[in-house]
Amino acid sequence: MKKTTLLTTITFAFLMLLSTGVNAQKFSKLDKSPMDAAAFPTSYKDANKLIKIVYSRPQLKDRELSALAPNGEVWRTGANEAAELTLFTDMKFGDTTIKTGTYTFYLIPNEKEWTAIISKDLNVWGSYFYKEENDVARLSVPVTTGDSLDAFSIVFDEADGAINMHLGWGTARVAVPFVK
């Protein structure tokens, strides 16, 4: 009787050891351009956000910004999916009032100014399917320079009655104003 119990226990333990790999999930590797989000107000303690953008963060990795976001071409504002902008209140974008809602946010880089585009398209991969007729508003903003950033980054601040979305990559810096 003891021999049978011992044999059963050993067999059961062996089967459990072999079966642990059967149910293991296969997770993909870390994305090279992970998704991130920036919002205003920036404090995590303030749940009453006014604006939020979800975007992917590509890295230059010794490449030129102009090769990844070419001048004069519509750019998805990051990598992978086009950036998704959510306004939690109506806001002015240049001369246009943008209604509360979710939009796609594109950019057209150029040497001295970038054009920021808010589009009613949603769930868009890259800028391959960009349609100008779906633009809600466009705004040209000047380009400045700063210390080099390898990873594309977006942050918000408030100044002069506007909520400014600051975008930076390489040495290029752009501030896109939204007025509440």
Side-chain angles (χ1 to χ4, degrees), residues 32 59-64 68 150 169:
K32 292 178 183 177
Q59 298 175 37
L60 287 176
K61 294 186 179 179
D62 298 322
R63 299 174 290 182
E64 294 295 319
L68 301 171
D150 192 58
W169 202 16

Side-chain angles (χ1 to χ4, degrees), residues 27-180:
F27 291 99
S28 60
K29 294 180 181 176
L30 183 63
D31 193 328
K32 292 178 183 177
S33 299
M35 291 190 91
D36 200 355
F40 185 85
T42 57
S43 173
Y44 69 91
K45 295 178 182 180
D46 191 342
N48 295 314
K49 302 298 183 199
L50 299 175
I51 186 170
K52 177 176 78 171
I53 189 162
V54 176
Y55 66 105
S56 290
R57 299 188 68 189
Q59 298 175 37
L60 287 176
K61 294 186 179 179
D62 298 322
R63 299 174 290 182
E64 294 295 319
L65 174 59
S66 60
L68 301 171
N71 283 345
E73 293 183 25
V74 175
W75 179 50
R76 61 183 135 199
T77 311
N80 304 326
E81 296 90 350
E84 194 170 84
L85 177 74
T86 301
L87 302 179
F88 297 99
T89 187
D90 294 355
M91 291 196 182
K92 292 282 279 181
F93 185 72
D95 294 331
T96 306
T97 298
I98 309 296
K99 297 287 183 193
T100 299
T102 301
Y103 304 89
T104 296
F105 186 80
Y106 295 106
L107 290 164
I108 301 175
N110 279 300
E111 215 171 290
K112 296 183 180 188
E113 66 180 23
W114 287 19
T115 302
I117 303 168
I118 295 177
S119 171
K120 62 183 174 183
D121 287 336
L122 291 176
N123 197 24
V124 180
W125 179 264
S127 55
Y128 308 109
F129 306 103
Y130 168 75
K131 295 178 188 138
E132 187 172 346
E133 62 266 18
N134 292 334
D135 288 2
V136 175
R138 287 179 168 227
L139 180 66
S140 292
V141 292
V143 176
T144 60
T145 59
D147 294 336
S148 189
L149 287 172
D150 192 58
F152 175 65
S153 301
I154 299 176
V155 296
F156 286 97
D157 74 1
E158 187 172 24
D160 302 324
I163 297 168
N164 296 301
M165 179 194 306
H166 296 275
L167 303 102
W169 202 16
T171 58
R173 299 293 183 275
V174 177
V176 180
F178 293 83
V179 180
K180 47 184 173 162

